[in-house]
Amino acid sequence: MKPIIAANWKMHKTAAETTEFCRAIRKEESAFSGVETLVCPPFTALAAASAALKSSHIKLGAQNMDYESRGARTGEIAAFMLLEFGVEYVIIGHSERRHQMGEDDDLVRRKIETALGAGLKPILCVGETEAEREQGSTEQVIKKQLSGALEGTEAQHISSLVVAYEPVWAIGTGKAASPEDAENAAALIRGYLQDRFGSVSAAGTRIQYGGSVKAENIGSFVSLPPVQGALVGGASLEADSFSALLKAAGEAVAN
Ligand code: PGA
């Protein structure tokens, strides 16, 4: 199973900047063919990314979607609109949406259900805040987020799911989790999925680490047995730094 590395651009990049980035990174793609790579631009740049990545191995993801299939939902984006641009993955429950936009586990669950029903592969984000970590409740928080988000999910769909462990205190801070912390959390997630869906079904689910990942530290995460990829914010914004990160990940998994 190839590791999956996703660029989460958040609220950055115009359509023109997206085209430029995608053209630059495609030139390098043979150097990281051992890694499944995707970019998640803002909605307004999906068309540009889709055109610039045509016939490339680099895939397309979205950063969010609505839980309704269509309807009177001003300002929202539905799964079928993402599919029109060849979007394959969708980030759901990112901590910025949980904490800044008030998304709770139930909303995350509805989005996961809709995404899977539409044939999109969700990247479900979980992770504890600094205060929760200090209280020693990391495990409890992760389990609650998983059980809330996956209530009602059927085992047959679970191999389409990616789970990103992103400790909130590590996102955008330059202070990545230690490999030990990432390994423990990923093992906990893997164990939860196995108990809930059975080891055969859960074997297809990839678990990413996210939070201040860069070219210099990616190798220490993707070489951990329970980690199969990364969700990358800051270091994915420049084609040079992202392609250096992808090459480093490819080398780490090949060794
Ligand atoms: P970061 O963001 O790599 O800038 O820490 C990660 C994320 O939010 O997914």
Side-chain angles (χ1 to χ4, degrees):
M1 198 160 45
K2 282 189 186 181
I4 176 166
I5 302 207
N8 173 15
W9 290 349
K10 311 190 180 184
M11 200 165 67
H12 295 286
K13 291 199 194 292
T14 61
E17 288 164 348
T18 297
T19 302
E20 198 185 327
F21 178 107
C22 293
R23 284 189 183 149
I25 198 130
R26 292 191 62 148
K27 291 193 190 135
E28 308 282 324
E29 70 177 296
S30 59
F32 43 82
S33 54
V35 176
E36 185 175 346
T37 303
L38 61 135
V39 291
C40 306
F43 294 130
T44 49
L46 283 173
S50 173
L53 294 175
K54 209 168 175 167
S55 71
S56 148
H57 294 299
I58 301 169
K59 297 177 174 174
L60 202 50
Q63 297 176 21
N64 180 36
M65 56 167 264
D66 194 33
Y67 61 85
E68 288 290 357
S69 300
R70 62 176 68 232
R73 303 273 300 159
T74 302
E76 292 295 334
I77 301 287
F80 79 93
M81 299 169 183
L82 302 179
L83 291 165
E84 184 184 14
F85 294 110
V87 168
E88 197 175 321
Y89 289 89
V90 58
I91 300 171
I92 293 184
H94 190 280
S95 70
E96 284 149 18
R97 298 206 60 85
R98 291 180 191 260
H99 298 289
Q100 297 175 32
M101 285 81 168
E103 293 197 1
D104 62 12
D105 288 332
D106 192 53
L107 185 62
V108 170
R109 176 191 63 75
R110 294 171 82 176
K111 291 185 178 191
I112 296 273
E113 193 179 298
T114 307
L116 288 170
L120 286 164
K121 298 172 184 164
I123 300 178
L124 165 65
C125 302
V126 299
E128 79 287 0
T129 62
E130 183 139 48
E132 288 162 342
R133 175 181 161 85
E134 276 162 14
Q135 282 158 20
S137 47
T138 298
E139 281 197 14
Q140 204 186 321
V141 169
I142 295 173
K143 281 190 185 157
K144 181 176 168 293
Q145 289 172 334
L146 288 170
S147 64
L150 299 175
E151 199 193 318
T153 299
E154 290 167 27
Q156 71 192 59
H157 285 136
I158 211 68
S159 61
S160 302
L161 182 80
V162 176
V163 179
Y165 168 60
E166 296 209 302
V168 180
W169 47 270
I171 296 177
T173 58
K175 200 175 79 181
S178 65
E180 294 72 29
D181 282 344
E183 183 166 29
N184 289 340
L188 175 83
I189 294 166
R190 174 74 56 211
Y192 176 89
L193 296 172
Q194 285 170 342
D195 289 350
R196 168 85 169 71
F197 300 101
S199 6
V200 175
S201 304
T205 307
R206 284 171 296 180
I207 299 171
Q208 297 175 316
Y209 166 73
S212 298
V213 174
K214 47 191 181 184
E216 294 75 22
N217 63 14
I218 182 77
S220 63
F221 294 112
V222 292
S223 51
L224 299 168
V227 175
Q228 296 84 34
L231 184 53
V232 187
S236 73
L237 287 172
E238 299 299 330
D240 285 353
S241 60
F242 192 49
S243 92
L245 185 153
L246 292 165
K247 286 176 201 163
E251 281 162 23
V253 293
N255 291 327

